[in-house]
Amino acid sequence: MKSFCRTENQYVRCGLAEFLGTLILILFGCGSVAQMELSGFAKAQFLSVNMAFGFAVTAGAYVCAGVSGAHLNPAVSLSMFLLDKLTWRMMLVYWLAQFLGSFVGASFVFFLYYDALYVYSSGNFTVTGPQSTAGIFASYPSEHLSHINGFTDQVIATAALMIAILAILDEANNAAPRGIQPFMIGIVVLLVGLSMGFNCGYPINPARDLAPRIFTAIAGWGLEVFWAGSNWWWVPVFGPLAGSLVGVILYQLFIEIHHPEIKQKDDLEEDQKDRHPPHYELVHSSA
């Protein structure tokens, strides 16, 4: 069985890894929202959701970092493409795997909490109203939020996320030790949730939002999941992509292009590579 299932194709390996890592992210993250909502905030609070999503990113990253780099987010994959650390073909593989992993992860949460969902909503799965449950799986705007402000929210939050990720990985700056990088990135996601979650729940990940939204449309909530919030669905898809571009540009302009180029350091690193096996790069793939 092992020899039959094994593959050395890098596209397949990275795709499978991103699929499983993103599935874990959605299972733990959306599962925490379900626990909060369906218990009427008796078993969890918004802080619990923030912590769960942060550690869900960490768990998903540890699952696949050594294989695919643990992007878990199309916005991150786009950033790596813009930095010439990922080919466009591999980026598309990552996007597909992340989308499918998010879709399956949402289905796992649905079946895990199906009885609770049914009892809570009396069998009527709604998108809006006091007993609405669609927000367990995808983001919806607060009543005060306009599309422009929501898009700005996603650009700023995702840009901040990307700046922090690039700093954590930047060996020429003050990079975190490689084995701790997934944990530190999870902490950054927690910080985003603690500071930028009020407007729309900080989706900051197109796959995390769109794939579960499509699942809910199929699973009983209907097409209202796209119409709700005056057709809100596109904001958490394109906002994070734009934010990733902004984050990359800001980190490059303010930090990376100013790193001194020291030949001795490069020679030392080459010597170390000759004597030691290469470490994985958390968000790097040269395929």
Side-chain angles (χ1 to χ4, degrees), residues 25-40:
L25 163 61
I26 299 303
L27 177 61
F28 288 142
C30 291
S32 70
V33 183
Q35 180 168 272
M36 177 183 71
E37 292 285 350
L38 300 178
S39 69

Side-chain angles (χ1 to χ4, degrees), residues 29 32-34 36 44-54 190 202:
S32 70
V33 183
M36 177 183 71
Q45 301 294 322
F46 189 56
L47 176 61
S48 307
V49 173
N50 292 331
M51 295 179 66
F53 264 107
L190 171 59
Y202 70 105

Side-chain angles (χ1 to χ4, degrees), residues 127-128 140-141 147 213 217 221-234:
V127 178
T128 59
Y140 294 89
H147 281 41
R213 191 182 302 274
W221 282 265
L223 294 179
E224 189 182 353
V225 299
F226 295 101
W227 303 332
S230 300
N231 299 303
W232 164 261
W233 69 270
W234 65 270

Side-chain angles (χ1 to χ4, degrees), residues 20-22 24-26 28-29 50-66 69-72 161 165 168 178-191 205 280 282:
L20 185 59
T22 311
I24 291 296
L25 163 61
I26 299 303
F28 288 142
N50 292 331
M51 295 179 66
F53 264 107
F55 288 122
V57 169
T58 295
Y62 275 121
V63 165
C64 62
H71 295 190
L72 310 179
L161 172 67
I165 289 176
I168 289 169
R178 294 179 185 273
I180 302 178
Q181 287 172 356
F183 177 76
M184 296 307 301
I185 292 173
I187 292 295
V188 174
V189 173
L190 171 59
L191 287 174
N205 183 334
Y280 68 83
L282 182 62

Side-chain angles (χ1 to χ4, degrees), residues 54-281:
F55 288 122
V57 169
T58 295
Y62 275 121
V63 165
C64 62
V67 179
S68 67
H71 295 190
L72 310 179
N73 183 340
V76 175
S77 298
L78 176 61
S79 296
M80 294 304 110
F81 169 73
L82 295 173
L83 292 170
D84 200 26
K85 296 182 178 181
L86 197 69
T87 66
W88 68 268
R89 290 185 180 88
M90 185 62 85
M91 182 181 71
L92 295 179
V93 171
Y94 275 47
W95 282 7
L96 177 62
Q98 292 155 2
F99 179 89
L100 294 176
S102 296
F103 187 93
V104 174
S107 71
F108 281 11
V109 174
F110 176 76
F111 291 117
L112 175 67
Y113 281 109
Y114 179 78
D115 286 349
L117 279 165
Y118 192 88
V119 170
Y120 181 82
S121 62
S122 301
N124 182 26
F125 297 157
T126 57
V127 178
T128 59
Q131 301 300 109
S132 63
T133 48
I136 290 172
F137 300 93
S139 70
Y140 294 89
S142 297
E143 292 183 2
H144 69 271
L145 192 66
S146 66
H147 281 41
I148 294 176
N149 193 181
F151 189 85
T152 304
D153 172 288
Q154 288 302 284
V155 170
I156 292 174
T158 311
L161 172 67
M162 281 311 310
I163 290 170
I165 289 176
L166 293 174
I168 289 169
L169 302 175
D170 189 354
E171 295 291 346
N173 194 346
N174 189 24
R178 294 179 185 273
I180 302 178
Q181 287 172 356
F183 177 76
M184 296 307 301
I185 292 173
I187 292 295
V188 174
V189 173
L190 171 59
L191 287 174
V192 172
L194 290 174
S195 59
M196 306 180 195
F198 173 58
N199 281 334
C200 56
Y202 70 105
I204 60 174
N205 183 334
R208 172 263 175 275
D209 197 85
L210 181 60
R213 191 182 302 274
I214 293 174
F215 173 80
T216 53
I218 297 171
W221 282 265
L223 294 179
E224 189 182 353
V225 299
F226 295 101
W227 303 332
S230 300
N231 299 303
W232 164 261
W233 69 270
W234 65 270
V235 175
V237 174
F238 296 103
L241 295 176
S244 68
L245 174 62
V246 172
V248 167
I249 291 173
L250 290 177
Y251 192 81
Q252 291 290 310
L253 287 178
F254 284 86
I255 303 295
E256 188 151 341
I257 63 174
H258 307 293
H259 288 327
E261 298 181 3
I262 303 175
K263 187 176 186 302
Q264 291 82 352
K265 180 179 179 181
D266 294 338
D267 292 339
L268 177 61
E269 289 176 348
E270 289 298 324
D271 182 60
Q272 290 175 339
K273 288 179 182 178
D274 291 338
R275 291 181 294 172
H276 301 286
H279 297 285
Y280 68 83
E281 292 285 351

